[in-house]
Amino acid sequence: MTSVRIPDDWPTTEEEARAVQDGLRGRVVLDEPGPAPGTGRVTGVDVAYDDERDLVAAAAVVLDGASLETVAEATAVGRISFPYVPGLLAFREIPTVLAALDALPCPPGLVVCDGYGLAHPRRFGLASHLGVLTGLPTIGVAKNPFTFTFTAPAPPRGSTAALLAGAEEVGRALRTRDSVKPVFVSVGHRVGLAEACAHTLALTPAHRLPETTRRADALCRRALREAVEATS
């Protein structure tokens, strides 16, 4: 487990954080399809918090894209780096997520975030922010549609519907299980939206959520428990 220090120049106010988003948003790459689904390595990242103890734990779990076997994993624990502000959650998570990615013994390949990319009020959610900082292809797969609207996709697995901000498509609602609530897929960086949906389907052979998210969620929760026990 890696310990994380908050960077000295990390934003401390909402205004500073929005200025960082404005400065980085133009670097998002939207014209690359990304790696082929079901190939290479795919890495899930997720975080867990203990706000009372001011702790955040991040996990990165690398899967083989074809077999979905776990290839490598790493965790990092640090202090919470930003207050809770909707639309600015990346600033609470990124230092620790970057530390977990850096601790991996192999390149992560495509990174799947439990959250949003372009499906974000400022079009720069965690997946986009992380992709720009690392240069890695990234997508966001969220459990809910945030502030956006959609028409329910058809019941069969693989059905999609546009996730809309007014008339703008910012992602897609994707049915990963027959007649089960969809997940909400958006581009992060260096991956097309159709490819992001295909990756999500490849990662959901048996459950609603991607295996990357399921395994990273379990690992970061375990890392947080161990960190809390160590400080108790």
Side-chain angles (χ1 to χ4, degrees):
M1 184 183 298
T2 300
S3 295
V4 182
R5 188 179 68 83
I6 300 171
D8 292 336
D9 60 351
W10 201 246
T12 59
T13 68
E14 293 182 35
E15 292 74 16
E16 290 173 350
R18 292 191 181 99
V20 170
Q21 287 180 330
D22 291 340
L24 295 178
R25 186 170 50 239
R27 292 165 53 184
V28 174
V29 174
L30 301 175
D31 59 355
E32 293 184 17
T39 66
R41 294 188 180 116
V42 186
T43 296
V45 295
D46 202 1
V47 299
Y49 295 98
D50 187 321
D51 286 284
E52 288 186 2
R53 294 176 175 84
D54 189 33
L55 287 175
V56 57
V61 180
V62 186
L63 308 187
D64 177 85
S67 68
L68 301 187
E69 294 294 323
T70 298
V71 173
E73 57 187 35
T75 60
V77 174
R79 298 297 175 186
I80 296 173
S81 55
F82 199 80
Y84 174 79
V85 180
L88 299 176
L89 298 185
F91 293 94
R92 285 169 64 85
E93 303 182 2
I94 279 181
T96 316
V97 169
L98 287 175
L101 287 171
D102 287 344
L104 290 171
C106 60
L110 173 77
V111 177
V112 181
C113 298
D114 178 24
Y116 308 94
L118 292 184
H120 180 272
R122 299 170 67 80
R123 306 298 181 268
F124 198 69
L126 173 63
S128 297
H129 200 150
L130 189 64
V132 167
L133 292 182
T134 63
L136 295 167
T138 58
I139 65 173
V141 183
K143 301 178 184 72
N144 61 69
F146 200 17
T147 60
F148 304 109
T149 61
F150 68 101
T151 300
R157 166 179 159 84
S159 301
T160 65
L163 187 64
L164 298 171
E168 179 188 0
E169 184 179 39
V170 295
R172 287 184 190 153
L174 170 66
R175 195 87 68 180
T176 56
R177 309 298 298 157
D178 290 349
S179 301
V180 170
K181 181 182 175 181
V183 296
F184 301 91
V185 181
S186 58
V187 169
H189 181 62
R190 298 183 58 207
V191 181
L193 183 54
E195 289 79 11
C197 290
H199 279 290
T200 304
L201 286 174
L203 292 166
T204 52
H207 300 279
R208 174 180 175 243
L209 296 178
E211 285 302 305
T212 41
T213 298
R214 286 165 45 80
R215 294 182 209 181
D217 174 75
L219 183 58
C220 70
R221 290 176 186 274
R222 187 173 78 219
L224 183 63
R225 285 197 302 270
E226 292 172 355
V228 168
E229 289 169 2
T231 60
S232 299

